[in-house]
Amino acid sequence: MSPPLLRYKGVVLALIFISFSGHSKGCDEDEEFECLEDGRCIPIERFCDAKPDCLYASDESFTVCKAHLSDMMADKYHCATGAAIPARLVCNNIADCSDGSDELPQVCERDPGELEEKFRGNCTGDTDLECLPGECVSHSAKCNNVIDCSNGRDESLEICMQTCEADKCFQCANGVLLDSKDLCDNKMDCLDGSDELSNVCGNAVNWKEVPPAACHETVEHRFTNRTVFQKGNSLRFVYANQAAEVQCWNSDRKSWNVCMNNGSWLHDFPPCIEKVVNRNPDTNGTNGCPINWYNNETMLIINWDDDSESIALPPIQNARVTFRCNEDLTFLPYEFKDKPITCQANKTWIELDFHPRCTNLCSPQQISEMYSLTPRCYNGDNGSPINCQDKYSLVPNTQVKFECASGFIHQTSDTMSVKCTEDGEWKGLRDLCENQERHCNYECNHRLNYSEVTMSKGGDATDSLQASWLVPIYKLNSTTTKHEFVCTGNLIRLDIVLTAAHCLNGRNSRPEDFLVGSSGNRSSSVDLKYLHRVRNIEVYGAYSEVSHIYDVGIVVLEKRMDFKQDQRIVCLPYNVGSHLDLKGDAMVSSWNSDGYLATVYGRLSEPKNGDLKVVLHDGYTLCKGDSGSGVITTCGLDNHKCLVAVVSRNVGSGDHGTFCSNNVTAATLISPHLQDYIQQLIRNNINCPE
Ligand SMILES: *[C@@H]1O[C@H](CO)[C@@H](O)[C@H](O)[C@H]1NC(C)=O
Ligand SMILES: *[C@@H]1O[C@H](CO)[C@@H](O)[C@H](O)[C@H]1NC(C)=O
Ligand SMILES: *[C@@H]1O[C@H](CO)[C@@H](O)[C@H](O)[C@H]1NC(C)=O
Ligand SMILES: *[C@@H]1O[C@H](CO)[C@@H](O)[C@H](O)[C@H]1NC(C)=O
Ligand SMILES: *[C@@H]1O[C@H](CO)[C@@H](O)[C@H](O)[C@H]1NC(C)=O
Ligand SMILES: *[C@@H]1O[C@H](CO)[C@@H](O)[C@H](O)[C@H]1NC(C)=O
Ligand SMILES: *[C@@H]1O[C@H](CO)[C@@H](O)[C@H](O)[C@H]1NC(C)=O
Ligand SMILES: *[C@@H]1O[C@H](CO)[C@@H](O)[C@H](O)[C@H]1NC(C)=O
Ligand SMILES: *[C@@H]1O[C@H](CO)[C@@H](O)[C@H](O)[C@H]1NC(C)=O
Ligand SMILES: *[C@@H]1O[C@H](CO)[C@@H](O)[C@H](O)[C@H]1NC(C)=O
Ligand SMILES: [Ca+2]
Ligand SMILES: [Ca+2]
Ligand SMILES: [Ca+2]
């Protein structure tokens, strides 16, 4: 059995080489015309008599009816197709030409103003031709030998029809008149190629016969009922300069296209959603077990009968086989990789719903690691939901619709979606990723409710939801080779942690020495499973290791954190804008020595040299591990709270035995330079797929 692709090509070639000179098997050459569509014979008098007799009017096609100038009859009217009708039938209000060219307004000189109005449709301004409802092109696009309308209307007979001045003149099938020197010069001057047809050129000197150009319908893109098509050898096609509207075989998606006179479609068709329908009886279940995704280039079927290994080709019936894929492709269903499976005598797989396939897969990481977007995955367009984390589900055509992650608000009405391509790439993801800022904005200042925070340091534990941006930072102790809690960090994005520079700045500090925990209680035993690895650590350039001014640092995580419940990141002063009171009450949340969250209160003093002082109310102290904790105060006109500084070091007389103090210095975040630094850092750390 010949392979399907070759067979298909064979049909196309046969069509192109069909001769129109009357050569035929079934019909009497001298007396009859053989219809292209079905080989039916019609009497020769009905050939090019302007009345369609063949099923799809192949007896009236311009490709067979266009005649040489010397064959044109002075007493007849020649339709644009070339067919001749009695001159008295022109403009009798009855379309006698099969293309209606005997009644076109241009021929019958009806009101030209009315005609222009009709062409203009709803178009305004410079545009005066409406191709399709809402699609407008300018005056100069009309009949300029360039197809501008998606449906080719600007170069169609309806628009371009001209009337012959002299007795004889040559007209393209779209009505455009041509100088006789352009005929048969092996150059297609008509968009439809009618100036180089064999009927027109016959045995002209130096003329080379080229079969009329045709563009075919494909299995994936079917002609709609608005397409006037031809048919030959059971394939449907249109000739050059003819428009076709196609519809995807499996969806409502439609588009127009126009055939060019070299046999190519003018535009690419938009891709259809799913795989083409399988019409191969060897793989669609007719002659053997269904292997709808079979591709001889990528899938190898191995027959295990008689316990010897041999390569099998579809159809597979009554056999035990395994499948093998090209190295870069994944076999699905994954559970059956390298496992024998039986095709039963009745051409069904022993396993229900077994659909062997070698495919590319899209990455689950790429869609789940953007800082402000949360994916929802679907099986094709509007298909059933699937698990975005299951990499074997992310096959080509998987559709992902994104929502702004918890803690973010959707800023635009744009839909945020991407699709997995046959190559296993997320189409549109990079663009979406790089424009996250435009789509989703921090929700930090909207739902924070600090009034519930009543705990003091050393007191009872408080609920982590009240300070859900707080995360513990652990650092490797090279002596014990264990990670130890060193500082407190603040999530300013799901993958970016703000802390004090001195927590990060030790000699030989490397990103791989740090780990960041989830928000919530800080456990005394560190379980690596719940910790986040660090991609990058950054210390603000103005930080001084001697005086510890500008003690600001940033930790960039390898993977963004998943927020739990109603958690959120913390607002920076820049997120809120406007008024900041840096002399008022402040609070600092952190962990106490038991690992529970707690909050202390105090007052801020005027910032100086990038620092401000926090003097805590009686009974409260901040201790060593509280470095990096955020100082929270009122900001913005709506009395929102936001993080204005990070705890840096203690001053004055503290309890140096325990490194605790009620009088601490914090590095402020309010300087424009720091704002630029942080924002630049955030921007530089958008990790988008290549
Ligand atoms: C796959 O099939 C096509 C035609 O269907 C054929 O041209 C090609 O050689 C085949 N490839 C292999 C690797 O068998
Ligand atoms: C032009 O627009 C009007 C109003 O929008 C509509 O009713 C009419 O059908 C349109 N005409 C054409 C030819 O599209
Ligand atoms: C084409 O089909 C649609 C629906 O299938 C129908 O509404 C319409 O009238 C048809 N148009 C023509 C020209 O047959
Ligand atoms: C037909 O012409 C177009 C544009 O001139 C060109 O892009 C295309 O490759 C040509 N097709 C063939 C089959 O030559
Ligand atoms: C398989 O393809 C054949 C030939 O085109 C067709 O007749 C048959 O209905 C198809 N079978 C299935 C199960 O799709
Ligand atoms: C095919 O044969 C198997 C085993 O004999 C049987 O279980 C199954 O129902 C049959 N399937 C069909 C579609 O006839
Ligand atoms: C904030 O918390 C207080 C005390 O629990 C409660 O009364 C108030 O409704 C909360 N406000 C919001 C906006 O949730
Ligand atoms: C590392 O652990 C040792 C032993 O517990 C301790 O003495 C040392 O201070 C730790 N180093 C740091 C930098 O914390
Ligand atoms: C933190 O610990 C306290 C005391 O054990 C507990 O009540 C609280 O629910 C814990 N919070 C979280 C987020 O685990
Ligand atoms: C805090 O420390 C500073 C600097 O040592 C000192 O001037 C100030 O008086 C102290 N304030 C309190 C309330 O202890
Ligand atoms: Ca006819
Ligand atoms: Ca044009
Ligand atoms: Ca020419």
Side-chain angles (χ1 to χ4, degrees):
M1 177 149 306
S2 74
L5 189 63
L6 275 188
R7 238 177 20 223
Y8 183 77
K9 271 187 185 151
V11 169
V12 176
L13 290 179
L15 179 80
I16 290 173
F17 290 119
I18 277 174
S19 151
F20 295 107
S21 60
H23 166 85
S24 64
K25 282 166 238 128
C27 305
D28 178 341
E29 285 184 30
D30 297 328
E31 305 277 315
E32 292 172 324
F33 173 80
E34 184 184 348
C35 293
L36 178 65
E37 38 278 73
D38 53 5
R40 249 174 53 201
C41 306
I42 61 161
I44 201 80
E45 310 86 70
R46 297 199 180 172
F47 171 60
C48 296
D49 65 348
K51 295 187 196 75
D53 294 285
C54 297
L55 208 50
Y56 294 97
S58 65
D59 59 318
E60 300 299 328
S61 163
F62 73 94
T63 56
V64 291
C65 297
K66 267 290 169 208
H68 192 267
L69 284 179
S70 63
D71 292 336
M72 292 176 74
M73 292 159 281
D75 59 337
K76 300 264 184 163
Y77 178 78
H78 286 86
C79 305
T81 58
I85 59 167
R88 65 184 157 79
L89 300 181
V90 177
C91 300
N92 65 350
N93 280 320
I94 300 165
D96 295 286
C97 290
S98 59
D99 60 0
S101 53
D102 56 324
E103 301 296 328
L104 285 170
Q106 293 96 328
V107 177
C108 304
E109 294 181 348
R110 302 212 175 99
D111 182 7
E114 204 174 288
L115 195 59
E116 271 182 24
E117 278 307 297
K118 184 183 161 210
F119 292 163
R120 180 186 285 277
N122 274 343
C123 294
T124 54
D126 291 345
T127 59
D128 62 1
L129 175 58
E130 190 167 47
C131 308
L132 286 166
E135 183 190 339
C136 297
V137 296
S138 72
H139 182 78
S140 59
K142 281 191 221 163
C143 309
N144 64 348
N145 234 24
V146 176
I147 300 163
D148 297 282
C149 288
S150 63
N151 63 348
R153 191 181 185 207
D154 58 314
E155 303 296 325
S156 67
L157 179 69
E158 177 200 9
I159 308 285
C160 299
M161 181 64 182
Q162 290 178 289
T163 45
C164 239
E165 297 298 333
D167 274 357
K168 290 180 178 179
C169 70
F170 187 82
Q171 191 163 40
C172 301
N174 68 346
V176 169
L177 299 181
L178 220 58
D179 198 301
S180 58
K181 74 171 163 45
D182 290 328
L183 295 185
C184 311
D185 58 356
N186 296 318
K187 183 176 158 285
M188 303 233 187
D189 296 283
C190 294
L191 281 174
D192 44 58
S194 39
D195 55 321
E196 304 293 329
L197 290 167
S198 70
N199 309 38
V200 174
C201 301
N203 299 323
V205 280
N206 294 332
W207 174 81
K208 243 177 62 235
E209 177 166 2
V210 185
C215 300
H216 289 82
E217 184 185 45
T218 66
V219 173
E220 201 176 20
H221 295 98
R222 319 293 301 172
F223 289 156
T224 70
N225 63 0
R226 296 212 279 177
T227 301
V228 181
F229 57 84
Q230 307 283 309
K231 196 168 179 183
N233 289 22
S234 67
L235 290 178
R236 310 202 292 180
F237 66 93
V238 296
Y239 285 117
N241 201 39
Q242 314 256 301
E245 188 190 48
V246 301
Q247 177 170 3
C248 282
W249 71 275
N250 59 357
S251 74
D252 286 344
R253 187 167 195 176
K254 293 190 181 82
S255 71
W256 281 94
N257 213 326
V258 185
C259 185
M260 293 192 295
N261 58 25
N262 66 1
S264 297
W265 290 105
L266 181 62
H267 312 288
D268 289 338
F269 284 110
C272 293
I273 300 149
E274 275 151 46
K275 197 179 161 316
V276 295
V277 67
N278 184 356
R279 292 179 194 281
N280 181 347
D282 286 347
T283 53
N284 75 355
T286 302
N287 296 341
C289 279
I291 318 174
N292 273 302
W293 302 97
Y294 182 72
N295 175 342
N296 70 343
E297 309 265 326
T298 56
M299 178 187 276
L300 206 58
I301 306 173
I302 297 151
N303 192 333
W304 286 96
D305 278 344
D306 312 325
D307 283 332
S308 66
E309 189 175 345
S310 67
I311 290 172
L313 292 175
I316 305 294
Q317 193 183 355
N318 210 7
R320 206 160 59 102
V321 296
T322 55
F323 295 87
R324 203 165 288 165
C325 294
N326 269 8
E327 51 192 54
D328 47 338
L329 300 181
T330 305
F331 178 75
L332 297 180
Y334 188 68
E335 313 84 270
F336 285 92
K337 184 181 192 297
D338 301 326
K339 296 239 174 64
I341 180 153
T342 301
C343 172
Q344 305 170 114
N346 60 8
K347 302 175 204 164
T348 60
W349 295 104
I350 196 157
E351 195 74 23
L352 278 181
D353 281 331
F354 179 73
H355 301 292
R357 179 176 187 183
C358 291
T359 184
N360 282 301
L361 295 172
C362 280
S363 150
Q365 283 85 33
Q366 287 182 351
I367 48 169
S368 56
E369 290 182 355
M370 288 180 290
Y371 73 89
S372 69
L373 299 174
T374 298
R376 303 258 178 271
C377 297
Y378 300 89
N379 206 339
D381 283 346
N382 309 316
S384 50
I386 53 177
N387 181 358
C388 290
Q389 299 304 317
D390 173 14
K391 72 171 182 170
Y392 297 116
S393 292
L394 305 183
V395 295
N397 287 324
T398 297
Q399 164 114 11
V400 184
K401 295 177 184 162
F402 288 95
E403 293 165 6
C404 291
S406 170
F408 289 85
I409 309 169
H410 201 171
Q411 291 289 102
T412 62
S413 57
D414 306 2
T415 55
M416 304 182 289
S417 66
V418 301
K419 183 177 268 187
C420 181
T421 68
E422 286 297 328
D423 298 330
E425 275 156 19
W426 293 114
K427 188 160 180 257
L429 185 63
R430 195 188 162 83
D431 199 42
L432 183 65
C433 178
E434 286 174 348
N435 289 303
Q436 283 173 81
E437 250 179 309
R438 203 165 57 77
H439 295 296
C440 302
N441 206 7
Y442 297 116
E443 201 189 15
C444 58
N445 56 348
H446 282 261
R447 302 208 310 257
L448 290 185
N449 191 346
Y450 289 89
S451 61
E452 291 169 22
V453 182
T454 56
M455 304 304 163
S456 63
K457 188 157 181 69
D460 298 335
T462 187
D463 185 345
S464 72
L465 286 185
Q466 307 311 325
S468 58
W469 63 89
L470 281 185
V471 290
I473 298 174
Y474 302 93
K475 189 180 180 187
L476 184 72
N477 180 328
S478 53
T479 317
T480 61
T481 69
K482 285 205 169 88
H483 281 89
E484 293 171 352
F485 174 76
V486 286
C487 279
T488 304
N490 308 274
L491 287 177
I492 57 173
R493 205 173 76 185
L494 292 181
D495 58 350
I496 297 188
V497 175
L498 180 73
T499 187
H502 77 262
C503 300
L504 308 173
N505 202 41
R507 235 179 326 135
N508 308 325
S509 273
R510 301 170 306 163
E512 49 269 41
D513 294 339
F514 292 90
L515 290 171
V516 173
S518 301
S519 57
N521 289 340
R522 179 169 64 80
S523 166
S524 48
S525 63
V526 179
D527 187 345
L528 289 176
K529 205 167 62 183
Y530 299 111
L531 297 183
H532 292 258
R533 291 154 64 86
V534 169
R535 182 194 302 275
N536 195 10
I537 51 176
E538 297 258 356
V539 167
Y540 183 49
Y543 169 62
S544 159
E545 288 192 56
V546 180
S547 64
H548 293 293
I549 54 170
Y550 298 109
D551 192 5
V552 175
I554 294 241
V555 176
V556 182
L557 306 182
E558 276 192 0
K559 275 181 68 173
R560 80 165 213 206
M561 261 181 211
D562 284 324
F563 262 12
K564 290 163 284 178
Q565 301 175 50
D566 200 20
Q567 298 176 323
R568 59 187 65 79
I569 60 169
V570 66
C571 267
L572 296 181
Y574 334 124
N575 302 128
V576 176
S578 68
H579 183 71
L580 256 185
D581 178 9
L582 286 181
K583 284 186 294 185
D585 292 327
M587 57 187 172
V588 178
S589 296
S590 189
W591 286 281
N592 65 18
S593 53
D594 298 328
Y596 299 147
L597 272 173
T599 302
V600 296
Y601 298 88
R603 282 193 72 78
L604 298 179
S605 71
E606 196 90 53
K608 209 174 126 196
N609 291 336
D611 280 339
L612 50 73
K613 297 238 154 52
V614 189
V615 178
L616 299 178
H617 299 325
D618 282 351
Y620 297 127
T621 55
L622 284 168
C623 308
K624 194 172 173 236
D626 296 326
S627 286
S629 298
V631 177
I632 306 292
T633 188
T634 304
C635 66
L637 291 173
D638 298 335
N639 283 344
H640 287 300
K641 307 285 181 180
C642 60
L643 189 155
V644 292
V646 289
V647 171
S648 172
R649 56 199 183 275
N650 59 20
V651 290
S653 58
D655 176 354
H656 286 279
T658 57
F659 300 99
C660 289
S661 171
N662 66 346
N663 189 350
V664 304
T665 298
T668 77
L669 299 174
I670 53 164
S671 94
H673 294 297
L674 248 161
Q675 171 175 354
D676 285 350
Y677 166 73
I678 291 173
Q679 291 192 334
Q680 195 60 47
L681 222 136
I682 287 176
R683 227 169 275 130
N684 291 348
N685 280 289
I686 297 179
N687 297 302
C688 291
E690 286 306 307

